[in-house]
Amino acid sequence: MEEDKMKKVAILMGSDSDFGVMSKAVSVLKEFGIPVEVHVYSAHRTPEKVAEFATNAKDNGFGVIIAGAGMAAALAGVVAGHTTLPVIGVPLKSNALEGVDALLSTVMMPSGIPVATVAIDGSKNAAYLAAQILAISDEKLAKKVLENRQKQSAAVLVKDQDIQEKVQAL
């Protein structure tokens, strides 16, 4: 699949203050050559815009939506309620409950409206998961995902070798 025909990934966040965490997902997607679009839409302050975006996302060329929000973290669930595209929720850390509130809000979806949920502030894993989802129907992207995994494995083995040398020096 050519990049101009590749499905896009949408990254939605409830506030512009979430960009520090969510920008990590943008970086991962760009590394894979996946087109990405980023918006600040709030489930509570711009519910009509969220509904409109989610309802039209498939027709607008999106294949996956990543939604990051803190506290009540309704964004991913609201998006999922308006689309059949895969939605990945990123619960974001807040000051009050360190993101546990957002994690529980994101993961506790009613039957039939799933939201894949990654760790608190886990936007990078959300991007990796989005890449894997899109790679199901894109062999070129599947190869990139596999190569990335192999690079990660090689990096761990280098670290293991470093530890072995440190242990020997003790």
Side-chain angles (χ1 to χ4, degrees):
M1 194 178 278
E2 294 177 29
E3 187 171 324
D4 61 343
K5 297 196 189 241
M6 182 185 287
K7 294 285 187 185
K8 300 182 286 186
V9 173
I11 297 179
L12 308 180
M13 61 194 90
S15 170
D16 63 340
S17 64
D18 302 332
F19 188 67
V21 171
M22 299 306 290
S23 65
K24 296 171 185 170
V26 175
S27 296
V28 169
L29 293 168
K30 286 186 172 192
E31 285 176 29
F32 283 116
I34 298 171
V36 60
E37 204 172 287
V38 180
H39 296 283
V40 176
Y41 295 149
S42 168
H44 300 106
R45 294 178 294 258
T46 60
E48 295 87 5
K49 189 66 181 173
V50 171
E52 176 190 349
F53 183 88
T55 300
N56 297 311
K58 188 173 184 178
D59 289 340
N60 289 330
F62 293 95
V64 178
I65 300 172
I66 298 171
M71 298 188 296
L75 185 58
V78 171
V79 169
H82 288 283
T83 187
T84 58
L85 291 176
V87 176
I88 304 168
V90 180
L92 299 173
K93 190 180 284 190
S94 63
N95 292 333
L97 297 173
E98 297 297 312
V100 173
D101 49 347
L103 174 64
L104 295 174
S105 293
T106 306
V107 78
M108 296 301 295
M109 293 299 300
S111 182
I113 310 294
V115 171
T117 308
V118 296
I120 296 168
D121 286 351
S123 69
K124 284 177 77 170
N125 265 355
Y128 286 120
L129 180 55
Q132 288 177 231
I133 291 168
L134 294 178
I136 291 169
S137 60
D138 183 334
E139 283 302 316
K140 204 167 154 183
L141 181 56
K143 184 178 178 189
K144 289 180 183 179
V145 169
L146 179 60
E147 289 170 353
N148 179 271
R149 285 282 181 98
Q150 291 168 338
K151 274 198 284 187
Q152 289 180 35
S153 180
V156 169
L157 294 176
V158 166
K159 291 176 183 181
D160 177 63
Q161 184 58 43
D162 290 346
I163 289 295
Q164 299 310 313
E165 290 171 11
K166 290 177 182 176
V167 168
Q168 291 300 317
L170 292 178

